């Protein structure tokens, strides 16, 4: 999970979630990294207004112009370089970004605990 760029971000990639937890847990005074787990069915997730993307030009256009309740897509790995220097987008990994209260409510209802990481 990540609280960045106007949304609440989660992933279904276990290696990636542990990297996020270590990075963000060390940046904040949070008592150390933790990975939170949510159990949400695909059908519940798909009730939210959103879109699922692959690594293609469509995701680039969408990232730059649209906000739904949620988006399921690869991550923009070089956001700063892309914004400031006009570098080509480097897409990889996985994220689901929640932008509206309906997504937060869905996650709250699906919260299944957390693992502390040190």
């Amino acid at each position: 999970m990540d609280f960045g760029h106007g949304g609440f971000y989660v992933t279904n990639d276990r290696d990636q979630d542990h990297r996020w937890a270590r990075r963000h847990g060390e940046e904040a005074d949070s008592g150390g990294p933790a990975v939170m787990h949510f159990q949400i069915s695909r059908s519940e997730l798909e009730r939210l207004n959103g879109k699922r993307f692959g690594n293609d030009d469509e995701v680039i256009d969408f990232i730059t112009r649209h906000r739904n309740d949620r988006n399921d897509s690869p991550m923009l790995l070089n956001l700063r370089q892309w914004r400031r220097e006009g570098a080509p987008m480097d897409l990889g990994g996985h994220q689901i970004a929640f932008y509206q209260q309906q997504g937060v409510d869905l996650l709250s209802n699906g919260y299944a605990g957390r693992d502390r990481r040190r």
Side-chain angles (χ1 to χ4, degrees):
M1 115 185 127
D2 176 15
F3 300 95
H5 306 292
F8 183 82
Y9 295 78
V10 299
T11 183
N12 59 15
D13 181 323
R14 294 218 180 245
D15 291 331
Q16 181 178 308
D17 68 9
H18 289 98
R19 286 191 306 272
W20 280 357
R22 282 191 300 276
R23 184 177 75 219
H24 292 288
E26 292 170 4
E27 290 174 359
D29 184 21
S30 62
V35 174
M36 299 172 69
H37 299 275
F38 301 93
Q39 294 179 348
I40 300 167
S41 71
R42 175 66 58 187
S43 63
E44 288 179 294
L45 185 61
E46 302 222 348
R47 285 188 207 136
L48 298 176
N49 178 31
K51 188 153 175 122
R52 186 177 185 145
F53 297 97
N55 284 333
D56 56 24
D57 290 338
E58 185 182 18
V59 70
I60 294 169
D61 180 59
F62 202 87
I63 287 170
T64 60
R65 299 179 190 197
H66 297 89
R67 292 277 190 219
N68 285 329
D69 295 341
R70 62 140 181 106
N71 291 323
D72 186 338
S73 68
M75 297 182 305
L76 178 55
L77 300 174
N78 64 337
L79 178 64
R80 288 186 185 115
Q81 295 86 358
W82 175 73
R83 281 191 175 156
R84 294 180 185 162
E85 303 163 17
M89 284 190 169
D90 181 13
L91 300 172
H94 172 263
Q95 68 183 6
I96 301 175
F98 294 90
Y99 303 108
Q100 305 296 330
Q101 187 63 44
Q102 298 95 318
V104 173
D105 294 344
L106 183 63
L107 290 172
S108 294
N109 292 336
Y111 180 68
R114 67 182 186 169
D115 295 333
R116 284 303 230 181
R117 302 287 177 200
R118 297 246 178 226

